[in-house]
Amino acid sequence: MAETAPSFGAELKDGFRPVDNWVSNGIQWLDEIQQFYRERAAIEKEYSAKLIGLARKYHDKKAKKSSNLSVGDTPALTPGSLESASVTTWTTQLSTLEMRAADHDKLAQDLTNQVAAPLGYVAGKYEEIRKSHAEYAGKLQKERDSSYGDLKKAKSRYDGVCQEVENRRKKTETSFDSSKQKAQGAYQQQLGDMRIVKNQYLISINTTNKMKERYYHEYVPELLDSLQDLSETRVARLNSLWILAAQLENGMLAKGVQQMQHLSNEIPRNEPSLDSNMFIRHNVTQWQEPFDMVFEPSPVWLDSDEMATDPNSKTFLRNLLVKSKQDARSLKGEVDSKRREIEGLKRMRRNIRDGKEKRDEAELVRGTFALQEEMHALERRRLAAEVESSTITSAVGDLSLGAKNHNFKSETYKVPTNCDLCGERIWGLNAKGFNCRDCGYTCHTKCELKVPAECPGELSKEEKKKVKTERQAAANVTPVYENPTVNGSSDRTSLSRQDTMNSLSSGYAASAHRSVSGLSRPAEESIPESNSPSTPAPAPKSTTIRKNRIVAPPPAAYVSSSGPTSDAGSKSSEPRGKMLYPYQENGEGEVSVDEGRDIIIVEPDDGSGWMKVRTTAGAEGLVPASYVEVLPSLTAAASTSERPTSTYSSSSASLAGSTTAPKKKGPAVAPKRGAKKLQHVEAMYDYTAQSDAEWSMSEGDRFVLVTRDQGDGWAEVEKNGQTRSVPANYVQDV
């Protein structure tokens, strides 16, 4: 009965290091054998005396490495005087060599060209392949340790968010009536995040356990089997070269026919598996598989290993389930394709062994190993997706059935866009998010898995606008929360999005346009009474003003077909104005005017930043144009908006209002006429203002340049004493 072929993966388990050292010794041994043939070729000319000395020399070397070559560096069982089949064969060859007494020049040349050189070639290739095995083993171990580390991070993140939930709960108990609702909202929001983090932690546990199982039962065994195969391939190749050397000697040396024939008969007995069997017998040890990972409850919150199933959590799980199913299906096909390629290479290798094909077997070994590495990477991703799907399905069922998932695609927004889920602005120079191809639903990247699967299907442009308005209104509704539970185990509280865009804690408005404090708010936009009382916005500071901006659109994409919007208002026969700030004359030709005084504009701003005015008392003089609000004519006064209190907001808190308005102070005054040559710019394209912080302009309009593009795509320009923003790539210097 034939003996079962040995398998390092099945017998040695996590024994990569001793196997790798053993295979390395065998490959390094090829260099010694190569050197042996080269030295032998040089010594052949010195006849039998030196030939016998060479044989004895390598007898000694073999004796020193017999144990290492047979059973490795650190065997579990000492071999005693036993030697592996390869070492025994090598001993037979050295003994035969001692009986040689004659040599020949041609034999020396043949041994060098046909034996020594191929040995060096295959030794280099096998060593390179062995190093790739070692690198891959390190990579597998690193990925395993990384998986363990990710699990620890997930556990730490879960403990942290649980502690934060507990802190928020305690805060609701100590909050006063005025802030209790806000504290409850923050608590419920944190509670939802905690449940999501918990689910991610549970999923991470299952994924880590599965990865660990694959590591010890598939990846490492396959790696060990591959090293075993490399060693046996080396032995097979070594046998072929030994046979070749023996045949050369047999043909060239008539007197050594009997000795060489004996050697030729002994070498085939050195089956590659014999060395492997001996190595296994002397290196088998007891091995204990590491325990599976289990859920570790947080010391302050949720001691259950059950997944959260509240509506928000189910929405997240549903979206994650759909994504995981899609990934698992696509990756399964890729894994099967790689597996078929590997089987094809293995068939080629069998044909080479049988003499049916003539190819470089080392290259096939390299290709097989590379494909196995790629397949394992795909298999790990597929396994993670399947574990996620099975974990979610076992906990809450197949939530993907009947779901109307959005057809999301990645999108980079170049215009102000709000998330339809949380209502917040999608910010950034590269404002990336997702957009549904069918219904136009927009969301942050972070909100993608939280979006309910309620896509109404493909909508027209008008329907998308209507649905967009409804979604934004729903996203900005402040929910009313019930009293929080003590330990967070109840799911009865319905979580909804708090309108943080208009709250006092936010520096941005809920509108899709950029918010600028001091400019009049459109009539249709109002602030909910529950947020904060309406108070006058503070006047701008004299220091550098911070403005919330978006990236300017490219000219080709946002060119307005309509004419420019007039910002100066209707002109009367005598232009009128009103002082926004008090001004005290500082030089000749100027006039002092108090805040709120009506004035008559004698000479409008010519681009210098100053205008000549006449007060009601009849005094004439220059005042900064930025201190004056140009009033419309009497016929159009009834339709004008409330005048702005400042040009730009100096802080995010001014957007929500404040209870105490600071003392007004005018903006920085421009140089007087003739003091400095102003820089003008001219519009190259038509542009329609998207908010009150921008100028509308037509091609050819001129402005005074205040501030160039600071990296956000906008430039500040002045016109009629008012400074606003325009896209920097829409204007050019004149």
Side-chain angles (χ1 to χ4, degrees), residues 136 140 143 207 210-211 213-215 217-219 222 327-339 342 371-388:
Y136 182 59
L140 285 176
E143 290 176 352
T207 302
K210 206 65 179 179
M211 292 295 184
E213 178 184 347
R214 287 299 176 90
Y215 175 83
H217 290 280
E218 181 174 338
Y219 301 149
E222 288 184 359
D327 291 344
R329 284 194 295 268
S330 61
L331 290 172
K332 185 177 183 302
E334 296 182 35
V335 171
D336 292 340
S337 176
K338 294 293 182 184
R339 186 172 284 110
I342 292 173
L371 286 175
Q372 286 178 340
E373 184 176 358
E374 295 174 5
M375 184 184 71
H376 289 165
L378 295 172
E379 178 67 19
R380 288 192 294 273
R381 292 172 53 195
R382 183 194 64 81
L383 179 64
E386 289 183 351
V387 172
E388 288 177 354

Side-chain angles (χ1 to χ4, degrees), residues 560 562-565 682-688 695-703 719 730:
S560 173
S562 60
T565 304
E682 183 179 80
M684 297 186 293
Y685 313 98
D686 294 345
Y687 179 72
T688 302
W695 279 117
S696 294
M697 58 186 181
S698 299
E699 182 179 356
D701 287 352
R702 291 197 174 190
F703 302 88
K719 180 180 180 182
Y730 276 55

Side-chain angles (χ1 to χ4, degrees), residues 336-352 357 359 364 367-368 371:
D336 292 340
S337 176
K338 294 293 182 184
R339 186 172 284 110
R340 287 192 294 270
E341 292 182 30
I342 292 173
E343 291 299 326
L345 291 181
K346 289 182 177 179
R347 287 194 297 270
M348 290 184 185
R349 292 189 59 194
R350 287 194 294 269
N351 292 337
I352 293 174
E357 294 187 23
R359 295 193 181 187
L364 290 180
T368 303
L371 286 175

